[in-house]
Amino acid sequence: MENQDKPVEKKKLSLNVVSNKEHRGFGAGTIDLSQVSCVIIDEGVAYIDVGAMHAKSKIEKGIKFSPDKANVPNGRPAWIVWVAVDRNENGSYYAGATSCEMLVDTEARRGWKILPDHVNRLDASLKRKIMLDNIGPTEKEALRKLLVEHNQEWWDNSSQALKDILS
C-alpha cells in the first residue's frame, strides 16, 4: 500500500516558448519568469508593477495600444524596464536590464508600443543583457534610485557596466 501521507509535489508552470523541438513532457520548452521584475518609469518616477508582465500595469490599464505612433499625438513617454535577478557566489544581483519605450495618452485612452520589441527585450533581460539605450538621464536616475532602494546588496553585487550606464 502506498504512503498517502506523502505530500504531493506540484508542478511549476511557466511561460511556454514555441519551438520545433519534440515535447518531452510537462514543462518542456518553458522559460521561468520568476526572476524577472517589471519596472515602470513614468514622468521621471520608477516603480515596480508586476502587472506589466501581462500588459496590465497601472499605466496600461484601459489604454488601447497601436503600433502606429501617429495614433497617439499627445502621448507622454513611459518605459517598461525588465530587470532580471540572478545569484552567484557573492549573492543575488541585478543581472539583466532592458527598457521598452511606449507612449500613453491617458485622457484619450490611447497608447503606442511595439509588442515584438517588448518581447525581444524581455528575452534579452532573461539572457542577462543590459539594453537601456532608449532612456534618458532622468529615467536612468529614477531606475538607479529604485534599484538601490529596493535592495542595496543586489545593487552592490551588480556589474560595473550596469552601474556605469545608470550613473
Side-chain angles (χ1 to χ4, degrees), residues 64-66 68-76 103-105 108 110-113:
K64 180 175 170 58
F65 283 95
S66 164
D68 184 359
K69 269 188 178 181
N71 292 337
V72 194
N74 301 317
R76 72 180 185 278
L103 296 175
V104 178
D105 184 341
R110 295 199 173 275
W112 166 84
K113 66 180 174 180

Side-chain angles (χ1 to χ4, degrees), residues 62-126:
I63 303 294
K64 180 175 170 58
F65 283 95
S66 164
D68 184 359
K69 269 188 178 181
N71 292 337
V72 194
N74 301 317
R76 72 180 185 278
W79 292 265
I80 295 176
V81 182
W82 307 110
V83 179
V85 177
D86 205 347
R87 185 170 181 78
N88 63 17
E89 63 278 356
N90 297 324
S92 294
Y93 64 100
Y94 299 116
T98 58
S99 52
C100 308
E101 186 179 7
M102 58 184 171
L103 296 175
V104 178
D105 184 341
T106 308
E107 287 183 28
R109 299 174 60 113
R110 295 199 173 275
W112 166 84
K113 66 180 174 180
I114 309 281
L115 190 57
D117 182 54
H118 286 238
V119 172
N120 289 337
R121 285 184 177 247
L122 169 59
D123 182 59
S125 178
L126 287 167

